[in-house]
Amino acid sequence: MEEPQPETAPAAAGPKRILTIDDSKTMRDMLMFTLADAGFEVLQGVDGQDGLNVLGDTPVDVVITDINMPIMDGYEVIRRLRDNPVHKRTPILVLTTESDAEKRTLARSAGATGWMVKPFDPDRLLATVRKVSP
């Protein structure tokens, strides 16, 4: 995994809010269980477009997105979040089955903060989220 860099101010007081975007219900459930059990508030999107719709202009502390999804892929999600002043500096972690260096570079160029390969280790995921969240 690439070393993510912390970037932004907190979204709001209270539990940190995480948006997870993945077309796999099983993966969304695993992320929800892991993050909610650790005290995070979790929003979910079933694909890139749904994730952006769920998010709107609501500040979040971290976005975790898959890359390969229907409707809108993770690269486009990252680009659109970086174009939105509200989310321009929000840490974005990619969680995907892809491990190709070229795809990592593409995600980094789009504005991703870090890259993790599925399946994820819950402790490592939580450590990474805490590291990048303001």
Side-chain angles (χ1 to χ4, degrees), residues 15-118:
K16 295 202 176 199
R17 187 178 304 143
I18 313 294
L19 170 65
T20 66
I21 307 172
D22 201 300
D23 59 323
S24 164
K25 181 178 183 335
T26 301
M27 184 56 62
R28 287 194 313 273
D29 289 347
M30 291 171 57
L31 287 166
M32 172 68 86
F33 176 79
T34 300
L35 294 165
D37 194 50
F40 293 100
E41 179 184 344
V42 181
L43 306 173
Q44 294 185 319
V46 300
D47 59 53
Q49 185 61 59
D50 186 54
L52 293 179
N53 292 344
V54 166
L55 190 57
D57 287 332
T58 303
V60 294
D61 294 286
V62 177
V63 172
I64 301 172
T65 185
D66 190 11
I67 288 296
N68 301 314
M69 297 180 287
I71 313 291
M72 180 187 300
D73 67 25
Y75 301 116
E76 186 61 24
V77 169
I78 296 166
R79 286 186 204 99
R80 290 193 186 194
L81 289 174
R82 292 299 180 231
D83 286 343
N84 181 328
V86 174
H87 307 297
K88 185 172 184 67
R89 301 181 63 79
T90 301
I92 302 172
L93 300 174
V94 173
L95 180 61
T96 181
T97 56
E98 302 286 348
S99 59
D100 182 75
E102 185 175 316
K103 292 183 178 186
R104 285 182 192 216
T105 300
L106 183 59
R108 177 66 80 180
S109 296
T113 307
W115 181 280
M116 295 180 288
V117 177
K118 297 175 185 173

